[in-house]
Amino acid sequence: DCSVQRRHQKIMEEAPAIIADPKVFYQMEEAAVRLAKMVGYVSAGTVEYLYIEEEKKFYFLELNPRLQVEHPCTEMVADVNLPALQLQIAMGLPLHRIKDIRALYKEKPMES
């Protein structure tokens, strides 16, 4: 969640985002997955939205098919090594076999 910008550059990164209801975050995730499937993107990336709290709605801003400069914030919050994850996906490992992905979904790391 970007909280402060100067000249279009992020000065402060805040995480995890808490402004919206968990149901809205789930809708954002679903929309991001649909978008990635529509354009055939398979790897770690970022889908950015603008959330209007008064409307309780979010609007698509951009899809970044790369790691963002602030990816260490995501790594700290989610306890996931994003560059390693990108390499594993590029090597063809199925997502359900990748330890960090399994951890994100609260699955045991080494089970089938």
Side-chain angles (χ1 to χ4, degrees):
D1 188 21
C2 174
S3 52
V4 179
Q5 285 194 12
R6 181 171 182 249
R7 296 184 186 144
H8 307 290
Q9 294 295 313
K10 293 178 184 176
I11 296 172
M12 183 184 295
E13 191 76 19
E14 183 179 6
I18 57 172
I19 193 168
D21 185 86
K23 186 193 303 186
V24 173
F25 286 119
Y26 183 75
Q27 292 169 346
M28 289 178 175
E29 285 180 22
E30 286 183 321
V33 169
R34 277 195 313 275
L35 175 61
K37 286 180 177 181
M38 284 173 46
V39 299
Y41 185 73
V42 182
S43 190
T46 305
V47 176
E48 294 187 15
Y49 300 105
L50 173 64
Y51 179 71
I52 308 294
E53 186 176 13
E54 296 78 25
E55 299 175 14
K56 305 290 186 218
K57 291 185 178 179
F58 62 93
Y59 301 90
F60 171 77
L61 291 176
E62 65 180 340
L63 166 64
N64 293 307
R66 57 178 165 70
L67 292 180
Q68 300 282 82
V69 69
E70 61 274 0
H71 79 270
C73 292
T74 303
E75 290 181 322
M76 284 179 17
V77 171
D79 195 27
V80 172
N81 181 333
L82 292 175
L85 181 61
Q86 277 191 308
L87 289 171
Q88 291 170 329
I89 293 168
M91 291 174 3
L93 282 135
L95 293 178
H96 70 278
R97 297 276 186 207
I98 298 174
K99 180 181 153 196
D100 284 342
I101 295 291
R102 295 181 64 78
L104 279 174
Y105 290 95
K106 310 287 189 265
E107 298 287 331
K108 292 186 177 154
M110 298 303 173
E111 288 186 8
S112 301

